[in-house]
Amino acid sequence: MLLLLFQWLSQEVRAFSVFNYQTLRTVLAAMTAMFFSLALGPKVIRWLAAKKIGQAVRACGPETHLVKSGTPTMGGVLILLAITLTTLLWGDLANRYVWTVLVVTLGFGVIGWCDDWKKVVYRDPKGLASRWKFFWQSLLGLGAALFLAFSADNPAQTELIVPFFKTIVYPLGIWGFVTLTYFVIVGTSNAINLTDGLDGLAIMPTVMIAVALAIFAYVAGNIRYSEYLLMPYVPGAGELCILLAAIAGAGLGFLWFNAYPAEVFMGDVGALSLGAALGCVAVIVRQEVVLFIMGGVFVVETLSVMIQVGWFQYTLRRYGVGRRIFLMAPLHHHFEQSGWKETQVVVRFWIITILLVLFGLSTLKLR
């Protein structure tokens, strides 16, 4: 909206043409989203508390988390509100990629809202039935995958790029691309959801990865930089910088209230939507493998759950008694049970993510 206004004003006053630059609007988007989060945060938290929308702690979780019972949850609404308002203000609303990622983000947010609402209203820690959650996630994931596949401008936008190599790419074809896109969007969404178990644990890595993906999006949308760095040119991808900056700004603003001891949790409404957004952007800029690297913490957290459940079920069938590999899953609970304090787990996972994000960014040049 503001972009259209400034474009109109620039016809009379050339100084307003500076707002056509994506870099400036990216910075302004981050600042605007953070402002929305910080300004609306207390009001949202009070509203959640007044509606008694408090966290239902799992009975099988760590005992130290019992004190968190009743803490306002569904704070992801604050993040989505800040992202949406900021993107509408500073983004190019004629860009199809902006709308694609925004629709996917809000769609997964609705799924998370329904899941959280069932947990809060019916006091059911399990929330929405897994089959229904998976069904709606699949519907949105496949919808986005099909749209991106059939709207691609050239075959390079549907190839799988292998980082660190100049010429190694794998043509996926339409249906291979659709399959990969589906798993990236749905998988990333659920991975962040599984990681969101400690105060500030999921939101800060999300912010870091969003900033890194903004750099990839800028390069992919610039024909000179993409050619120089041997990346596929994706016309219009640079506009995703504004949305990603909004994610980063909104996330930092939310962290103000989510830092230990948390005043509010993001809930599934935030975790599912943010994961889907990052996955969708990674597909558009053709950096699925790099997302896998940068989101290593999310990947390991997800694998820990899969391994724990798989081994427990296997030993239960074979020996009649279920056995565990980790003290508790996801992995962050294992370290808590090992004696680490919650803040230690969170900060150390942040440090690991910083290293992984820097490693992922190095693929821009190391080819």
Side-chain angles (χ1 to χ4, degrees):
M1 296 178 184
L2 288 179
L3 176 60
L4 292 175
L5 174 62
F6 289 131
Q7 286 176 339
W8 177 73
L9 291 174
S10 66
Q11 297 175 8
E12 302 296 332
V13 182
R14 288 191 60 188
F16 286 106
S17 62
V18 70
F19 291 99
N20 288 320
Y21 290 101
Q22 289 175 347
T23 48
L24 175 61
R25 286 187 289 117
T26 297
V27 174
L28 291 173
M31 296 172 63
T32 302
M34 184 181 295
F35 169 78
F36 280 137
S37 284
L38 293 173
L40 298 177
K43 297 179 181 179
V44 171
I45 294 172
R46 285 196 298 269
W47 181 81
L48 293 172
K51 297 295 182 180
K52 300 187 185 301
I53 301 178
Q55 177 71 24
V57 178
R58 293 182 307 163
C60 58
E63 293 184 4
T64 55
H65 287 207
L66 294 177
V67 296
K68 299 184 180 185
S69 181
T71 301
T73 187
M74 298 179 71
V77 171
L78 172 63
I79 300 174
L80 290 180
L81 186 61
I83 291 172
T84 303
L85 291 175
T86 301
T87 303
L88 293 177
L89 284 175
W90 293 111
D92 180 1
L93 302 184
N95 186 289
R96 70 176 187 269
Y97 292 129
V98 170
W99 282 110
T100 301
V101 178
L102 193 58
V103 168
V104 168
T105 304
L106 295 177
F108 274 78
V110 171
I111 297 172
W113 171 280
C114 295
D115 190 31
D116 286 334
W117 190 257
K118 187 172 182 181
K119 292 176 182 177
V120 172
V121 174
Y122 297 102
R123 300 296 174 184
D124 180 7
K126 295 182 180 179
L128 188 66
S130 298
R131 64 180 181 277
W132 286 112
K133 186 189 296 186
F134 180 70
F135 170 78
W136 291 112
Q137 287 178 331
S138 297
L139 190 64
L140 281 170
L142 285 174
L146 289 168
F147 176 79
L148 293 174
F150 288 100
S151 64
D153 297 314
N154 57 71
Q157 294 179 20
T158 58
E159 295 176 336
L160 177 63
I161 298 175
V162 179
F164 301 111
F165 297 95
K166 292 183 178 181
T167 58
I168 299 182
V169 295
Y170 293 98
L172 297 172
I174 293 295
W175 298 112
F177 174 82
V178 168
T179 302
L180 177 64
T181 300
Y182 164 78
F183 280 111
V184 171
I185 294 176
V186 176
T188 308
S189 176
N190 286 293
I192 293 184
N193 193 34
L194 287 172
T195 306
D196 183 35
L198 301 180
D199 299 350
L201 178 58
I203 191 61
M204 193 59 187
T206 299
V207 168
M208 297 178 197
I209 295 171
V211 171
L213 283 177
I215 296 173
F216 282 102
Y218 184 76
V219 171
N222 187 298
I223 191 168
R224 293 183 179 178
Y225 293 155
S226 60
E227 181 179 355
Y228 173 69
L229 294 172
L230 302 175
M231 285 180 58
Y233 172 53
V234 184
E239 199 63 27
L240 290 173
C241 291
I242 284 77
L243 192 148
L244 289 164
I247 291 176
L252 287 175
F254 178 77
L255 182 61
W256 183 272
F257 308 103
N258 186 235
Y260 182 87
E263 299 175 54
V264 64
F265 302 133
M266 75 165 75
D268 288 7
V269 63
L272 290 178
S273 57
L274 291 175
L278 296 183
C280 192
V281 171
V283 168
I284 293 172
V285 300
R286 311 308 307 126
Q287 299 299 323
E288 300 93 342
V289 178
V290 173
L291 176 63
F292 183 86
I293 294 172
M294 296 191 299
V297 166
F298 301 142
V299 173
V300 172
E301 290 270 49
T302 304
L303 289 175
S304 70
V305 174
M306 296 172 63
I307 293 171
Q308 185 88 320
V309 173
W311 182 249
F312 185 87
Q313 294 296 334
Y314 170 76
T315 54
L316 181 62
R317 290 194 303 268
R318 185 174 180 86
Y319 304 109
V321 178
R323 300 175 183 176
R324 294 175 173 81
I325 294 177
F326 304 103
L327 297 176
M328 188 177 290
L331 189 62
H332 55 262
H333 289 325
H334 169 81
F335 288 113
E336 278 191 295
Q337 298 296 94
S338 299
W340 291 17
K341 294 181 179 179
E342 179 173 347
T343 50
Q344 288 179 309
V345 177
V346 171
V347 173
R348 287 169 181 174
F349 277 35
W350 286 0
I351 293 171
I352 293 171
T353 300
I354 291 173
L355 296 175
L356 292 174
V357 167
L358 291 175
F359 185 61
L361 286 172
S362 70
T363 65
L364 278 169
K365 190 61 180 174
L366 300 178
R367 294 179 182 272

